[in-house]
Amino acid sequence: MVLRSYILILPLALTACQSTAAVRAPATVDLSDPTTKTAVTSALAQAVGKARIELGASDGSTITVLPPPLGPHESHSTAQPIRFDIVIEDGVCLAVRRDTQQAWPLPGVTCRPKST
């Protein structure tokens, strides 16, 4: 009888230990606003470990950080742009680096849910 009780309780106990992951919803930012663009640029510069960066073309939901320009003695570079997807998670605007999936907060930036 005791064994039967454990068999019935064990699945319930195991499901109680599971946690739910936060939901990341696709979002957009308005880079035509100078304050927003400055805040995004500053946050992404920290994300890529550079003091200064240049943003590439963006639709507001995906933002590209361009590689540094070629030096005076360089003819080509293998550096690639770094892409970030904009998401909202628990009401917080984040930039998620596409290649590593690491999320960076975008303080002072307002995101809007992306319309489908």
Side-chain angles (χ1 to χ4, degrees), residues 39-61:
V40 168
T41 302
S42 176
L44 295 184
Q46 288 182 332
V48 297
K50 303 286 183 190
R52 293 181 41 163
I53 61 167
E54 184 178 340
L55 300 181
S58 170
D59 65 358
S61 63

Side-chain angles (χ1 to χ4, degrees), residues 12-110:
L12 293 174
L14 291 175
T15 58
C17 295
Q18 295 177 352
S19 64
T20 58
V23 176
R24 289 182 176 169
T28 62
V29 294
D30 181 9
L31 293 177
S32 66
D33 174 47
T35 304
T36 299
K37 186 171 184 175
T38 299
V40 168
T41 302
S42 176
L44 295 184
Q46 288 182 332
V48 297
K50 303 286 183 190
R52 293 181 41 163
I53 61 167
E54 184 178 340
L55 300 181
S58 170
D59 65 358
S61 63
T62 299
I63 298 175
T64 303
V65 174
L66 297 175
L70 295 175
H73 303 291
E74 295 178 300
S75 61
H76 66 284
S77 172
T78 59
Q80 296 291 315
I82 301 171
R83 289 181 175 75
F84 290 86
D85 295 312
I86 305 302
V87 299
I88 299 174
E89 182 179 306
D90 295 330
V92 177
C93 188
L94 302 171
V96 179
R97 188 171 165 158
R98 202 174 273 184
D99 58 347
T100 65
Q101 293 303 303
Q102 185 173 5
W104 293 87
L106 297 173
V109 175
T110 302

